[in-house]
Every structure is written in structure tokens, then in C-alpha cells.
Amino acid sequence: MARMKFLCDAERCIECNACVTACKNENDVPWGINRRRVVTINDGKPGERSVSMACMHCTDAPCAAVCPVDCFYTTEDAVVLHSKDLCIGCGYCFYACPFGAPQYPRTGNFGSRGKMDKCTFCSGGPDTDSTEVEYDKYGANRLAEGKLPLCAEMCSTKSLLAGDGEIIAAIYKERVTQRGYGSGAWGWQTAYRETVGV
């Protein structure tokens, strides 16, 4: 089975925010919640880099490890999802996530922020696939339709890659090799602590 992953090539990202807009429109994301955002480092200075950030669907997700009601689960495709029916809005997942992926509709104390929302890799949630109930809670289920997340499909520079982790790793490895970085470049093994034979 494929292991779905995201990878953003900082050498190609132009900070156009098409990925952010595509995600908000496709999933009807509420105001104030950003399932995906573009982070720019050294803005306006030499060495400026932009990276599209969202839930990275970690192999050993820290959000799932700290959830007191166990609302997180991993699909067969290695996509980390959550159940809004089980979520109590405690915020532990927000503090545990190194990518800032969990988002809440309101600010406030424990339990008063509402149900957590995050990137679903356009694969819906635990409700029946492609139903109105699933869409209202989690957004589009493009994976059930055989499609990739819209954020990656809308990326004009193909900076944001999404899909089978082994294919993504092969594409990125080819790019790095063509750029002449050799083995010293940041890559898949560093990000996911896994070895992928490509």
C-alpha cells in the first residue's frame, strides 16, 4: 500500500499561496483556520526561502500520542486523520505538533475553542466516503475519487509534491542530483527518519 506524504521543495516555492487558496476553497475551510500556510524565512534578504506547511502526516504522530480521547487514527495510506465527534478541543495536539497543523475555530481556555481542524490530505474523515456529512466536517475526499490533494495539483512550480512517499522521494532525489547538491542535501531520511530505496 502507498504511504502518502507531502514534500515542499523550497528551491521552487515562489510564495504565491495558490496551495493555501486551493485548500480553503476545495474544503470550505472556516474563517480563521488555515489547514495550509506558506512560511517564508529571511523574507526580502539573500537566501530567502518559502515553504508550504501543513500536517505532514507523521509516521509516529506526536498529536496522536498526546490526545487524551484518542481521536487520531492512521489510514491504510498512512494519512493521519481525526474524529471531530471524539475531539474535546483540549489543544494538546496543537502544542505537540512541530508543524502547527492543528487549528481551532476560536481562542479560549481548555475545551472552549471548538473542535480541532487540520489537513486531511483531501481524504475526508471517519464518516462514510463522499457524503455531505463527511464534507461538512472534513472537506473534500479527493483520495476516494483517485485524485491527489488539490493544494499540490494547483502548485504552478510543482514545488509542493503529494502522493506515494517513494515516488515523491524519487522525484526529489532527481531534483537534488540535477542541482548538484549531492548527498549533503536535506531530504527524506532527515524528515521522516526512514530509509527509502530509490
Side-chain angles (χ1 to χ4, degrees):
M1 197 81 203
R3 297 190 51 151
M4 297 300 186
K5 296 290 180 185
F6 282 120
L7 191 138
C8 184
D9 187 344
E11 296 284 328
R12 287 182 170 217
C13 183
I14 59 172
E15 196 184 0
C16 69
N17 283 291
C19 54
V20 176
T21 304
C23 176
K24 280 193 160 296
N25 289 341
E26 180 72 1
N27 296 300
D28 201 18
V29 178
W31 180 257
I33 291 183
N34 292 308
R35 289 184 177 182
R36 177 163 291 284
R37 66 199 177 288
V38 177
V39 177
T40 302
I41 301 166
N42 296 327
D43 197 8
K45 299 176 185 171
E48 175 183 314
R49 293 286 183 269
S50 295
V51 179
S52 180
M53 298 287 296
C55 177
M56 297 302 283
H57 302 280
C58 304
T59 303
D60 188 16
C63 57
V66 299
C67 182
V69 293
D70 205 23
C71 77
F72 291 91
Y73 64 99
T74 304
T75 67
E76 291 177 1
D77 293 326
V79 175
V80 177
L81 297 176
H82 72 292
S83 169
K84 287 190 177 185
D85 294 333
L86 295 176
C87 177
I88 58 172
C90 65
Y92 292 170
C93 57
F94 174 78
Y95 294 111
C97 177
F99 304 105
Q103 302 280 304
Y104 292 87
R106 296 181 298 280
T107 55
N109 295 330
F110 182 92
S112 67
R113 351 177 154 186
K115 304 291 184 176
M116 186 271 288
D117 193 86
K118 73 172 202 68
C119 166
T120 63
F121 207 89
C122 286
S123 63
D127 296 316
T128 307
D129 284 349
S130 303
T131 60
E132 191 173 326
V133 172
E134 181 189 47
Y135 182 83
D136 288 344
K137 287 184 193 174
Y138 307 100
N141 190 340
R142 293 175 56 86
L143 247 53
E145 298 170 11
K147 300 175 183 175
L148 290 175
L150 193 61
C151 57
E153 287 194 9
M154 293 302 290
C155 183
S156 61
T157 61
K158 299 302 175 214
S159 165
L160 182 59
L161 303 173
D164 184 334
E166 292 184 18
I167 295 170
I168 300 295
I171 292 168
Y172 189 67
K173 182 177 181 181
E174 183 179 324
R175 287 180 184 180
V176 169
T177 303
Q178 287 178 351
R179 291 177 191 150
Y181 292 159
S183 62
W186 180 92
W188 188 265
Q189 188 171 1
T190 304
Y192 293 107
R193 296 182 185 177
E194 297 176 7
T195 304
V196 178
V198 286

